[in-house]
Amino acid sequence: MPRKRKTPAPAADAATTAPKRTRKRAQLLKGFKDVLPKDEQYWDHVNRVIGKAASQYGYGKIQTPVLEDAGLFVRTVGKGTDIVSKEMFRFIDQGGDDICLRPEETAPVVRAYIEHGMQNLPQPVKLYYHLPMFRRENPQAGRLRGFYQFGFEILGAGGPVVDAQMILIAHNICLDAGLKPGEVTVQINSIGNETSREEYIKELTNYFRSKRKYLTAEEKKRLTKNPLRLLDALMTSKREYFEDAPQILDWLDEESKNHFMGVLEVLDALEVPYVLNPFLVRGLDYYSHTVFEIWPTDKEGKSQSAIGSGGRYDGLAEILGGQETPACGFAFGTERLILALKEHEVKLKAKKMPEIFLAQIGQQGKVQAMKLFEKFRKEGVGAYENFSKDSLKAQLDQANKLGVKYTLIVGQKEVLDGTVLVRDMESGVQEIINSDKVTSEMRKKLGSK
Ligand code: AMP
């Protein structure tokens, strides 16, 4: 008896019955953020403010690579800092090089200054940047692992006037961005030159030893690694135990004191508001003399996290093998500045939106509408379109939602006649305009030349 052959299931059935493969949804890394079009106006606004300040104060834009030799930060920011000891995205690459994603930009700027012989240019050299930074921190509101900083650096410039002008620029950026004078505070201090700092660090270490009972094991470890950074941290987390800590201002030598007094005098003369914070020491190894931070206040007048910070870093170029170069700079966190702008409901300049929607019917209509769109684009007249839609009703609904003044309709009849149907969206009145004249007619209607 012939064997019955199994008939294979029809292909279509197989497709419908086969279990659907579920794929893991791709996800953003923890602590990173996508910037979406809804926030575009804030980023454009910040870029405009920075660009304006840069051109007014004579700064040129610098862009350095995302990856750098890890040693660049170990040598400058310092081994005892959180940034270097635990936050860098650092790895050995395929060629055995110890590299990292940049956690900050002052060291790369100074590296570039030396590497491109900028010390031979007329001094000072003024550079600014707006670039992504990477630190493996514990993410929380306003604290990301991938974030943007913009900063201004002046190299080859000593003297207190320079520090004061940097603070002025940082403060003006906040005001130009739309924050009011009471909504940001400049905190300022001096950590003096190396000699006075060494003396102070000894005193501070003794002080903290006498307060060991208030320190956690982690903080005790920090005491041996970086007492200045510890002071910074403790003044935020448990200030009440350490109010009587020695203040660095009492340990400044003559030169350091004169420099600091000079900065304050210029700030007073230029009416830049500031508050002295005797415990602001910033823990990065490269700072000397003036250090400052910009703090926003929320609507209740409470301080949030700093939006910007900076200071003088006279020794940095030498650490990187360059010649002695007095320098000063600051950096702002872009996301934090934007948070402050949102908190204070700063009104941004509205972007000019198109007032025309180009609708089409049928394949020929689509092509003709696309040609028209290009004509408008070349003449600088903005227009919306949705060439993927076929239904005129859907396109008119979209035009309505967008609130345009006119919808231009191109169907088969208009293609044959060489015309465009122009619909006034408010009155519903429609008129026929010759395609050759439509751009100039629309310009007239919209009041642009
Ligand atoms: P710093 O380089 O640590 O002095 O930081 C300068 C500014 O960058 C700060 O005032 C913040 O506005 C911003 N910033 C620093 N770390 C972060 C972070 N993890 N996330 C977002 N912004 C940051």
Side-chain angles (χ1 to χ4, degrees):
M1 216 176 120
R3 266 173 131 199
K4 230 183 175 182
R5 242 205 243 155
K6 247 192 182 170
T7 39
D13 279 358
T16 48
T17 53
K20 216 174 167 194
R21 234 169 82 199
T22 49
R23 295 204 164 106
K24 194 172 171 247
R25 206 173 66 191
Q27 272 184 337
L28 197 60
L29 285 173
K30 187 176 161 191
F32 286 77
K33 245 179 118 173
D34 293 318
V35 180
L36 302 177
K38 70 180 170 57
D39 270 345
E40 185 183 352
Q41 51 171 347
Y42 283 97
W43 287 79
D44 284 353
H45 174 68
V46 171
N47 276 326
R48 260 196 312 272
V49 171
I50 308 169
K52 190 171 143 202
S55 86
Q56 288 173 338
Y57 291 102
Y59 282 68
K61 193 172 200 167
I62 181 164
Q63 303 207 49
T64 62
V66 167
L67 288 175
E68 291 275 3
D69 183 313
L72 176 63
F73 304 102
V74 178
R75 286 157 72 190
T76 55
V77 175
K79 274 194 198 134
T81 58
D82 287 351
I83 295 181
V84 168
S85 66
K86 49 186 184 197
E87 292 170 1
M88 288 207 296
F89 286 91
R90 182 175 180 178
F91 57 97
I92 306 294
D93 76 0
Q94 294 87 331
D97 290 331
D98 181 8
I99 58 179
C100 69
L101 295 176
R102 66 171 160 238
E104 63 101 55
E105 188 57 12
T106 304
V109 165
V110 177
R111 175 199 50 70
Y113 172 83
I114 300 166
E115 214 158 346
H116 297 282
M118 287 190 240
Q119 61 270 52
N120 301 322
L121 299 174
Q123 303 295 297
V125 172
K126 300 174 177 183
L127 302 168
Y128 82 102
Y129 59 85
H130 190 191
L131 297 167
M133 305 294 150
F134 305 89
R135 295 181 195 174
R136 206 175 185 288
E137 301 205 56
N138 280 332
Q140 46 186 278
R143 188 174 299 282
L144 297 159
R145 289 183 172 175
F147 57 97
Y148 274 76
Q149 277 188 344
F150 63 84
F152 284 58
E153 314 283 355
I154 181 163
L155 299 116
V161 170
V162 174
D163 308 24
Q165 195 187 34
M166 291 314 274
I167 296 172
L168 172 76
I169 298 174
H171 190 247
N172 280 345
I173 284 178
C174 295
L175 300 186
D176 286 354
L179 295 173
K180 301 202 180 71
E183 293 168 352
V184 277
T185 310
V186 177
Q187 294 190 5
I188 179 170
N189 196 22
S190 169
I191 55 167
N193 56 20
E194 215 174 328
T195 330
S196 35
R197 205 156 51 249
E198 267 168 21
E199 288 303 306
Y200 173 68
I201 287 174
K202 271 189 220 150
E203 182 67 19
L204 190 65
T205 310
N206 286 336
Y207 168 80
F208 280 134
R209 286 210 174 107
S210 73
K211 298 261 180 177
R212 281 182 84 82
K213 61 177 176 198
Y214 300 119
L215 303 181
T216 62
E218 179 63 24
E219 288 161 355
K220 281 177 198 154
K221 246 193 261 165
R222 262 192 175 174
L223 177 57
T224 47
K225 276 209 250 163
N226 191 341
L228 288 183
R229 189 75 207 145
L230 179 62
L231 179 67
D232 240 2
L234 291 176
M235 282 303 161
T236 322
S237 60
K238 29 187 171 177
R239 191 178 183 124
E240 62 278 19
Y241 301 120
F242 305 101
E243 288 285 3
D244 59 343
Q247 302 189 358
I248 196 163
L249 290 181
D250 296 328
W251 297 85
L252 296 187
D253 61 12
E254 258 336 275
E255 182 226 334
S256 303
K257 253 188 226 156
N258 288 340
H259 185 96
F260 192 46
M261 294 317 292
V263 176
L264 300 185
E265 272 166 26
V266 181
L267 289 177
D268 288 337
L270 289 164
E271 296 179 19
V272 181
Y274 62 85
V275 292
L276 292 175
N277 177 354
F279 297 121
L280 174 64
V281 286
R282 311 221 16 92
L284 311 197
D285 281 4
Y286 57 59
Y287 282 122
S288 56
H289 293 290
T290 317
V291 285
F292 61 94
E293 285 186 345
I294 314 276
W295 287 74
T297 45
D298 65 13
K299 278 198 190 134
E300 275 92 53
K302 278 199 247 114
S303 281
Q304 304 288 303
S305 318
I307 45 173
S309 64
R312 179 159 279 287
Y313 50 92
D314 292 348
L316 185 45
E318 270 179 297
I319 299 176
L320 295 178
Q323 63 201 39
E324 195 184 336
T325 309
C328 190
F330 63 80
F332 276 77
T334 313
E335 290 83 355
R336 289 212 196 151
L337 175 59
I338 290 176
L339 280 177
L341 299 181
K342 288 183 177 173
E343 164 80 22
H344 292 288
E345 291 165 24
V346 169
K347 295 266 171 305
L348 306 182
K349 217 164 91 189
K351 199 170 153 186
K352 201 169 177 300
M353 302 311 271
E355 292 176 293
I356 293 173
F357 189 99
L358 261 173
Q360 34 67 36
I361 316 162
Q363 181 61 17
Q364 285 176 320
K366 269 193 213 305
V367 174
Q368 177 64 5
M370 286 177 87
K371 281 188 189 162
L372 263 181
F373 186 91
E374 289 306 308
K375 214 167 153 190
F376 278 123
R377 186 184 69 79
K378 282 184 191 142
E379 295 203 15
V381 181
Y384 291 109
E385 49 80 14
N386 192 341
F387 297 136
S388 66
K389 280 266 180 297
D390 293 331
S391 141
L392 179 63
K393 185 179 174 305
Q395 293 177 69
L396 287 174
D397 283 351
Q398 189 177 351
N400 247 329
K401 279 197 193 117
L402 289 165
V404 293
K405 278 203 176 121
Y406 299 97
T407 299
L408 276 52
I409 304 165
V410 190
Q412 201 175 354
K413 179 175 183 321
E414 286 74 23
V415 175
L416 291 175
D417 297 351
T419 57
V420 176
L421 191 62
V422 177
R423 180 185 174 92
D424 182 318
M425 295 300 280
E426 211 178 285
S427 63
V429 174
Q430 304 197 139
E431 64 179 302
I432 297 166
I433 296 183
N434 199 309
S435 331
D436 296 341
K437 297 206 179 110
V438 72
T439 45
S440 55
E441 285 300 314
M442 291 317 295
R443 278 171 166 279
K444 264 191 236 155
K445 281 181 187 293
L446 296 172
S448 53
K449 279 170 232 141

